[in-house]
Amino acid sequence: MRASLLSASLLAATSALALTACGGRAADSSLLRESFDSGDTFSRTVDGRPAEACEAARRTLLSQGYAIARSDDAQVEGNKNFQPREDDHEQLVLRISCAPRGSQALVFVSAVQDRYALKKSPTSASVGVGALGSVSLPFGSNDDSLVKVASSTITDAEFYRRFFQRLQQYLPAAAKPEPQPQPAASPQPPAGPEPEPAPAATDQG
């Protein structure tokens, strides 16, 4: 009897350890995907100063219907709302940072997608009934509110490629060197009158 109880205890402990190990791997799966590789999905080097790059990013967001929440020489933030279904709402938030890199600018961008669900909360109203005081009766009205149900960073390389391609269109054109004026040719002195031919010599005899 004692041996069977000991075997059951060991089996339970082994099962608990196995479940804990599986849960730990599932919880760490997202973190393990953060490899910090050398890809340039979220950044590009562009021509111009950081202030010019951030201004180009601001115009890029405005051209696509984003509302600008913040904009200065080093950072830009914009958001855009979507409603894929009646009770579901989504918001896309883009944050751009601009830093100097030599004579160019390094632009970082990160897009976060937030999902909201419409939650209905039934309310009640009080009705006076004389000496009995007030009674709360549900009238079926609702106080609707949006609740965030998910949030994730967009990692699609094609999404960021399109962003940077659009940003290039709003960067200032490279200054073309102005043509140097050609030096004026020095005036030639006017030609003088041609010398008259010497008179022909005559024989004197």
Side-chain angles (χ1 to χ4, degrees):
M1 183 67 177
R2 183 176 297 177
S4 60
L5 289 175
L6 183 59
S7 300
S9 300
L10 290 175
L11 180 60
T14 305
S15 300
L17 289 174
L19 290 174
T20 303
C22 292
R25 286 196 297 271
D28 296 340
S29 61
S30 297
L31 299 179
L32 293 177
R33 287 198 296 267
E34 287 296 315
S35 58
F36 286 94
D37 57 14
S38 58
D40 56 354
T41 300
F42 302 96
S43 63
R44 294 286 194 283
T45 300
V46 299
D47 293 330
R49 300 188 300 271
E52 295 172 337
C54 269
E55 174 60 19
R58 186 183 72 89
R59 297 187 182 190
T60 299
L61 296 183
L62 287 174
S63 71
Q64 302 301 307
Y66 284 79
I68 304 300
R70 176 180 179 179
S71 178
D72 54 41
D73 291 349
Q75 290 185 341
V76 178
E77 180 178 329
N79 57 75
K80 188 175 182 180
N81 296 313
F82 305 86
Q83 187 174 359
R85 289 170 296 277
E86 181 179 359
D87 293 339
D88 291 339
H89 299 258
E90 295 180 358
Q91 186 178 64
L92 194 58
V93 180
L94 267 73
R95 296 181 178 91
I96 300 103
S97 299
C98 307
R101 188 174 191 177
S103 60
Q104 297 177 305
L106 188 57
V107 180
F108 301 90
V109 58
S110 176
V112 176
Q113 185 179 26
D114 296 328
R115 292 184 55 224
Y116 298 85
L118 190 64
K119 301 296 183 181
K120 298 181 181 294
S121 303
T123 58
S124 60
S126 297
V127 178
V129 290
L132 297 178
S134 62
V135 178
S136 296
L137 299 176
F139 282 159
S141 60
N142 294 287
D143 186 12
D144 299 343
S145 60
L146 287 175
V147 178
K148 183 187 289 188
V149 296
S151 182
S152 60
T153 300
I154 294 178
T155 58
D156 182 18
E158 180 63 20
F159 172 86
Y160 294 102
R161 187 195 66 80
R162 293 194 303 267
F163 170 84
F164 284 112
Q165 187 176 23
R166 186 72 173 176
L167 181 139
Q168 289 286 345
Q169 301 178 11
Y170 292 100
L171 288 172
K176 297 180 179 180
E178 297 182 359
Q180 297 295 328
Q182 296 294 332
S186 56
Q188 297 293 332
E194 295 182 359
E196 296 183 359
T202 56
D203 293 338
Q204 304 241 342

